[in-house]
Amino acid sequence: MLKIGLIGPDFLLQRDEIVFRQQQIETVRIQDSAQMRQIDGLLLTGWKSSDYLHSLKRMAPSFLKYRSQISLLGIAGGAAAMGRGGILPVMDCNIVSRPGRSVATAILEMPSFTQERFTAVFLPEVRFTALAPNLGIVCRNGKREPVVVRQGNDLACGYVAELTAQPYLYHYWLEMVAALKNSKDF
């Protein structure tokens, strides 16, 4: 069974826990560094990275120690922590989060995962720029700008998955987490 660690504001984590429970995935809210060695994936979420900045800075060395064993998913403000210069700079791109006061939506596709279109919710505005060639673009918006990017076992998402009805992002990422865990078991 997969075990997913969660860091972020309570309201969003409650929604994440519901999605994972439906998939029969065990979750744990990360409170200290020792929990990092017990998880297969780590989800960072929030409107802005300052929602959990203090605890993330404290736990970053432990995450980096277990880096090869953990798949990371950053959602919205959590994605910004993963870009160059972020607290967990695992993506070869710049990820900027601009706080917004209004919610925006867009119809998106994830052609590498599903042919179905879905409506995503954006708050804050998250931009991916200066992408290195080794990054994969999983999803683009109508202007052909990256909305979800992948590098190795890590995924950064510019929309708020917790407020988006279709859980495609979670399913896609859980497949990545399972593949990484299975590769460790051999």
Side-chain angles (χ1 to χ4, degrees), residues 13-74:
L13 295 185
Q14 288 175 7
R15 290 176 176 264
D16 293 323
E17 289 166 335
I18 290 168
V19 171
F20 290 127
R21 197 173 313 120
Q22 291 170 345
Q23 300 295 312
Q24 300 180 343
I25 303 292
E26 183 181 353
T27 60
V28 59
R29 293 189 184 200
I30 301 296
Q31 303 295 321
D32 61 69
S33 298
Q35 293 173 297
M36 291 290 182
R37 69 173 176 262
Q38 303 167 359
I39 60 174
D40 303 302
L42 178 62
L43 185 150
L44 302 175
T45 191
W47 309 121
K48 52 191 182 295
S49 55
S50 62
D51 289 338
Y52 48 83
L53 202 58
H54 178 69
S55 61
L56 190 56
K57 278 184 182 178
R58 184 173 39 86
M59 291 184 271
S62 182
F63 171 78
L64 295 172
K65 179 179 178 181
Y66 298 104
R67 173 88 191 92
S68 65
Q69 303 170 21
I70 299 173
S71 178
L72 181 61
L73 169 60

Side-chain angles (χ1 to χ4, degrees), residues 54-162:
H54 178 69
S55 61
L56 190 56
K57 278 184 182 178
R58 184 173 39 86
M59 291 184 271
S62 182
F63 171 78
L64 295 172
K65 179 179 178 181
Y66 298 104
R67 173 88 191 92
S68 65
Q69 303 170 21
I70 299 173
S71 178
L72 181 61
L73 169 60
I75 298 175
M82 298 169 64
R84 291 184 193 112
I87 297 167
L88 297 175
V90 298
M91 292 283 184
D92 288 335
C93 66
N94 298 325
I95 306 174
V96 178
S97 174
R98 295 188 188 117
R101 297 207 183 268
S102 62
V103 174
T105 61
I107 296 177
L108 303 176
E109 295 176 347
M110 288 180 71
S112 61
F113 186 71
T114 181
Q115 294 305 312
E116 295 183 34
R117 301 175 94 188
F118 62 99
T119 302
V121 177
F122 293 84
L123 177 75
E125 177 185 3
V126 176
R127 298 277 177 154
F128 300 92
T129 61
L131 278 71
N134 60 328
L135 258 78
I137 298 173
V138 176
C139 185
R140 297 176 189 265
N141 63 18
K143 298 177 187 172
R144 308 290 302 150
E145 299 166 326
V147 175
V148 178
V149 297
R150 176 180 180 170
Q151 183 171 348
N153 296 312
D154 302 317
L155 201 60
C157 175
Y159 66 86
V160 183
E162 295 88 352

